Amino acid sequence: FGHLGIIAQTDTTAYGVVKNMPVFYEQLKKQLTFPMAWGNSPVRKFETWRTQARETLLDCMQNFPPAPADYAMEVIATEQRNGYKAQKILFNVSKWCRIPAYLLIPDGEGPFPAVVLLHDHGGHYTIGKEKMIRPFGVDKTVLDDSDNWAANCYGGQYVGDYLAAHGYVVISVDALYWGERGRKEGADGSKYADNAGNFMMLGRSLSAFMNYEDMYTTDYLATLPEVDAKRIACMGFSMGGYRAWMLSALSDKIQVGAAICWMNTTDCQFSWEYGRERGGFANMLPGIRRYLDYPHIASIACPKPMLFLNGEHDKLFPPVGVRDAFAEMHKVWESRSAGDR
């Protein structure tokens, strides 16, 4: 094909993939210049940049579920606890989905500050919201499952119950595929990727679907008379940590966020030295890497107060990538004279 100007490849190997990544992954990463990140973007007015970055993020989240016309909240069970009441509720989180949730309301006169509490992934699908709030009116299998998760992952503490006992309204819902929104055929981690892949085939992102439902849950929470709509926070762990900084970036109703154990850079996440050897469908937004990396997206939340906490020995998020991401976010907050936040 020399006359066509096509040069044949002469240096070949017996494989094209190493540790589940293409052998040319470094070349792929070099194409990721993140031109819309604050500081890379030619836009110098921060609020203009923030608006444009959020619009780009929403565009990359693709088609979204329509917001509900009516939440139609229904309380199906109530339990009085020490200093607060726990409610099992149903509400329309979108026009497509009516979902169960746990809602905790402190005793006394409101309105109270509130927290949208976002559960983890953990490769454990039989429970979701029950990882954050102790369930009631459930069979012993579910209660034991929840108690064991709290004991093994959170020092025996249900975070939602702790927050409610200290004066916060708390809501927690199941992400799709977890708990009461799991598979009809039963929990099966090997089918999780199939579910996410089917979303992609339909022009959607499972991850974005979670993010939209988190936004709609926040919108619903803000309507409750017990809630001070000007004092709503979000908090999450692992996958819930990712959801927390996404929600903080996407929703102006969120005033402060806490993201526990989910932050990294793409450069670190996808490397033979530090990488986890595969991406995660719970944080996959097709096309976003053409514009923004993880810390750049989280920086859309600036100048809100935000807590980002990671572990020194977390194998999914090596300190080298976490520190780089933290440094990137610090630059953004400091550029707004908000480094103390």
Side-chain angles (χ1 to χ4, degrees), residues 19 21 25-26 267-268 270-276 318 320:
K19 294 183 179 179
M21 289 191 285
Y25 84 96
E26 287 288 359
D267 183 56
C268 178
F270 289 95
S271 67
W272 284 322
E273 183 177 1
Y274 299 111
R276 56 197 294 183
V320 61

Side-chain angles (χ1 to χ4, degrees), residues 310-319:
N310 275 67
E312 286 283 343
H313 303 287
D314 189 335
K315 294 179 181 179
L316 294 181
F317 307 102

Side-chain angles (χ1 to χ4, degrees), residues 41-77:
S41 168
V43 176
R44 289 294 174 260
K45 186 176 180 181
F46 188 78
E47 282 303 318
T48 302
W49 168 82
R50 192 171 182 267
T51 298
Q52 291 181 359
R54 180 185 282 179
E55 288 174 351
T56 297
L57 175 59
L58 288 167
D59 183 60
C60 289
M61 289 168 69
Q62 302 175 334
N63 300 325
F64 52 87
D70 180 6
Y71 296 113
M73 190 268 268
E74 176 185 357
V75 179
I76 58 176

